[in-house]
Amino acid sequence: MTNIIDIHVPDIGDFKDVAVIDVAVKPGDRVTTEQTLLTLESDKAALEVPSPVSGRIAAVKIAVGDRVSKGVLIATVEAAAAFDTNEPPAATPAHPAPPVPPVTPAPATTAAKTAHDCDVVVVGGGPGGYSAAFRAADLGLRVILVERHATLGGVCLNVGCIPSKALLHVAAVKEEAERLAAHGVSFGTMQIDLAKLRDFKSGVVARLTDGLKTMARMRKVEVVHGTARFASATTLAVTLADGGSRAISFANGVVAIGSSSVALPFLPDSPRIVNSTGALNLPFIPRRMLVIGGGIIGLEMATVYGALGARIDIVERLDSLLPGVDRDMADIWRKRNAHRFGEVMLNTRVEAAVADADGVTVRLSGATSGERRYDLVLQSAGRRPNGETVDLATAGIATDARGFIPVDRQMRTNVPHIFAIGDVVGDPMLAHKAVHEGHVAAEAAAGLKSHMDALVIPSVAYTDPEIAWVGVTEQRAKAEGRAVKVSRFPWAASGRAIANGASYGMTKLLFDQHTHRIVGGSIVGPSAGDLIGEICLAIEMGADATDIGRTIHPHPTLGETIGLAAEVAEGTCTDLPKQ
């Protein structure tokens, strides 16, 4: 004889309206006493709610995202007097809450190992993809990594972040050498050997991609070079690079297929019209160059080509360059780069273009109109997800209206055993975000209680000068009606910045008026990208201005401007006139 028992949220102390972050059972599952039913997360801890009885789940009354308090009905259980304890209970949830401390997962059973070709298949070998593959392998899982290109590393290592930084380094050194003339050190006329410059860039890329190949081999990650498509929710069909084909069955999948440059439909096919990949190939040094799009990628390429001698025009359909960047920082950057640009045409669009053997004529409309003639045009108007390349629908994976894959905090798609990470899940499209998402996905696939719970994700424009920012900007705070205290430390008061010829720089911090904790920060100047990490950590740790200002920073450094900006907020800074 059976009876139905209601299970309610037990006494959880003084917590109320606590978020449900995981439901570990579903109707029909059998549970035993003390087996976890769900996980709650307060602002202080993760709380697992166990079952008080053994039986079969009849109904589940709550879902992930609900907020509950003591007494709320969780589920109903059909309790049997002669419950068969030999029948296995519901499986341990694949996506529980964060562990304290982390737990090493149990090795897969022999049956699980033989059921599929691998425990985890990762589609895409970029920073997120190889990080997911390597982390899963480190956890003892059998991993296959499918990459359509000949080398691992994806866009970032092969045709994006790394080669662009190699060229940006050359550009920065070249311009710094030219500036030394004002300090009494002059060099001869600059000579550029494009072939050697290309070789330097390629050498940097090869060193990193070769390293990834070695690490995959050391971890026993099988790398399959080919183009993958979902044949089902548990099988990939791979067209191999050598022309063959292969089917790969998997227990868990990670979609890490990245994004592609948006191709503007009104631009003709011409070697004089390139995207970021084409620009990094350094086809030639143009006399006049147009950059379409005033975002990070476009301005980084403008920095490189400007340093090599090109005269750069920029067209941007919005009313400012570097949208999303703190305006103080963007204004400093623009003044510093005035020598580099011919025209900066805001609120302007390219309507059409005609290319011939000698150049490209573009027609503009908006705040600036008419025709302009260029030797090279870079289209840098954003990126779009690559979801359509792998037949997501065949696996039942949902996408939103823009083609991005919605995921939960464990990077799970709507198909629970398939995860998605990186550019394909949406903004910000940054390699460092993808790496962390890859770790979370791999750990969740292994049964660990890992979640993507970063408070902030930093961004960096590796231009000259660099701009780095994280968290809330002053403009965003105003738009949201958020009360913040803004403190600025101008590098004109920094001995190291003055000695380095960087007195134009600035460090800016934002503190919440109510909690006094730091909520954002921006830096413009040399090595801004290296400095922003301290502000990231301060936000994650909940630091206030006193914490930062009373942390002793080495002198003289650019990093101490962060501590000095915090002192400005506290009213204790003695490196500036008293406010």
Side-chain angles (χ1 to χ4, degrees):
M1 181 176 179
T2 61
N3 63 305
I4 300 296
I5 298 175
D6 291 340
I7 300 179
H8 300 270
V9 175
D11 186 357
I12 52 176
D14 58 354
F15 298 119
K16 293 183 180 180
D17 295 325
V18 181
V20 178
I21 62 171
D22 180 66
V23 177
V25 294
K26 61 182 182 300
D29 286 349
R30 286 202 168 186
V31 296
T32 56
T33 303
E34 298 303 318
Q35 181 178 330
T36 299
L37 300 178
L38 73 159
T39 304
L40 310 176
E41 185 176 61
S42 71
D43 59 352
K44 297 180 179 179
L47 310 170
E48 294 185 350
V49 177
S51 174
V53 297
S54 296
R56 189 189 306 275
I57 299 293
V60 177
K61 302 297 185 180
I62 58 174
V64 173
D66 290 349
R67 304 190 75 85
V68 299
S69 302
K70 176 183 177 182
V72 171
L73 181 62
I74 298 172
T76 57
V77 175
E78 180 184 333
F83 180 68
D84 183 5
T85 56
N86 292 320
E87 183 173 337
T92 300
H95 50 103
V100 184
V103 182
T104 302
T109 64
T110 301
K113 287 185 177 181
T114 58
H116 300 284
D117 295 325
C118 61
D119 300 315
V120 178
V121 66
V122 180
V123 185
Y130 72 70
S131 296
F134 293 175
R135 181 68 180 123
D138 289 348
L139 292 169
L141 301 180
R142 295 172 305 135
V143 182
I144 296 177
L145 174 58
V146 183
E147 169 55 46
R148 61 193 174 111
H149 294 300
T151 57
L152 297 179
V155 168
C156 180
L157 265 67
N158 288 281
V159 293
C161 316
I162 299 305
S164 67
K165 302 313 168 280
L167 295 180
L168 284 162
H169 166 70
V170 171
V173 171
K174 178 258 182 189
E175 294 205 336
E176 187 66 19
E178 292 173 343
R179 286 193 282 263
L180 283 176
H183 307 295
V185 179
S186 300
F187 297 89
T189 303
M190 178 189 69
Q191 295 182 348
I192 299 175
D193 187 328
L194 275 184
K196 286 187 177 180
L197 191 51
R198 294 189 196 104
D199 287 345
F200 164 68
K201 177 204 68 174
S202 299
V204 171
V205 171
R207 180 173 179 178
L208 289 168
T209 55
D210 286 350
L212 291 178
K213 182 179 179 180
T214 299
M215 286 196 290
R217 184 173 62 250
M218 293 172 63
R219 286 180 162 89
K220 295 181 172 57
V221 172
E222 181 184 357
V223 179
V224 175
H225 292 286
T227 302
R229 291 182 178 274
F230 283 101
S232 72
T234 56
T235 308
L236 284 179
V238 183
T239 301
L240 300 174
D242 62 9
S245 63
R246 177 177 173 182
I248 299 174
S249 64
F250 56 89
N252 296 279
V254 179
V255 180
I257 52 181
S259 63
S260 301
S261 298
V262 172
L264 298 174
F266 49 81
L267 294 180
D269 184 12
S270 167
R272 290 184 176 272
I273 299 176
V274 297
N275 57 19
S276 57
T277 299
L280 286 169
N281 288 332
L282 292 175
F284 61 94
I285 300 174
R287 186 176 61 85
R288 292 196 66 197
M289 179 178 179
L290 176 67
V291 175
I292 303 175
I296 293 176
I297 295 175
L299 296 185
E300 287 184 352
M301 287 297 93
T303 298
V304 170
Y305 277 85
L308 295 179
R311 187 65 170 169
I312 309 293
D313 286 356
I314 297 177
V315 59
E316 168 58 53
R317 62 186 180 86
L318 300 178
D319 61 1
S320 64
L321 299 179
L322 293 166
V325 176
D326 183 277
R327 289 300 90 200
D328 285 347
M329 306 296 139
D331 289 345
I332 291 172
W333 180 90
R334 186 167 175 181
K335 290 177 183 177
R336 186 69 178 172
N337 280 270
H339 70 285
R340 199 185 306 278
F341 302 131
E343 291 185 90
V344 176
M345 298 167 279
L346 304 177
N347 295 306
T348 301
R349 295 175 179 270
V350 176
E351 294 290 344
V354 177
D356 55 40
D358 299 321
V360 182
T361 300
V362 300
R363 187 172 75 246
L364 306 173
S365 66
T368 302
S369 60
E371 292 187 347
R372 302 287 193 281
R373 180 80 171 170
Y374 297 98
D375 304 305
L376 187 68
V377 173
L378 167 64
Q379 52 174 331
S380 179
R383 301 184 67 84
R384 56 180 177 79
N386 287 334
E388 75 282 357
T389 64
V390 294
D391 286 349
L392 296 173
T394 303
I397 301 172
T399 57
D400 64 17
R402 298 174 58 198
F404 293 110
I405 302 175
V407 292
D408 65 13
R409 290 176 56 233
Q410 286 203 307
M411 311 315 296
R412 292 182 189 272
T413 69
N414 62 301
V415 181
H417 67 281
I418 299 179
F419 304 78
I421 62 173
D423 288 4
V424 78
V425 303
D427 295 325
M429 294 186 179
L430 299 169
H432 44 277
K433 182 200 75 158
V435 168
H436 282 267
E437 291 173 340
H439 290 171
V440 168
E443 291 164 5
L448 298 183
K449 299 181 179 182
S450 295
H451 293 71
M452 187 67 179
D453 58 0
L455 291 178
V456 289
I457 299 172
S459 295
V460 183
Y462 294 96
T463 50
D464 180 16
E466 290 183 5
I467 309 177
W469 65 101
V470 65
V472 179
T473 64
E474 184 176 5
Q475 291 71 37
R476 176 178 155 193
K478 289 179 179 178
E480 295 176 353
R482 184 170 184 173
V484 295
K485 184 173 186 177
V486 179
S487 67
R488 300 172 178 83
F489 186 83
W491 287 15
S494 162
R496 182 60 181 270
I498 294 171
N500 287 9
S503 59
Y504 58 84
M506 178 183 288
T507 297
K508 182 175 181 179
L509 304 179
L510 281 79
F511 298 89
D512 187 280
Q513 289 276 31
H514 303 295
T515 66
H516 306 295
R517 292 181 175 182
I518 185 170
V519 293
S522 300
I523 304 172
V524 59
S527 301
D530 298 310
L531 301 175
I532 199 68
E534 180 182 344
I535 301 177
C536 297
L537 181 61
I539 295 173
E540 289 283 355
M541 299 301 293
D544 59 21
T546 301
D547 295 326
I548 301 169
R550 294 197 177 185
T551 297
I552 299 177
H553 293 72
H555 173 81
T557 62
L558 299 177
E560 70 181 325
T561 65
I562 297 172
L564 293 168
E567 290 183 3
V568 170
E570 289 281 273
T572 61
C573 182
T574 54
D575 285 66
L576 293 174
K578 184 177 180 180
Q579 296 179 343

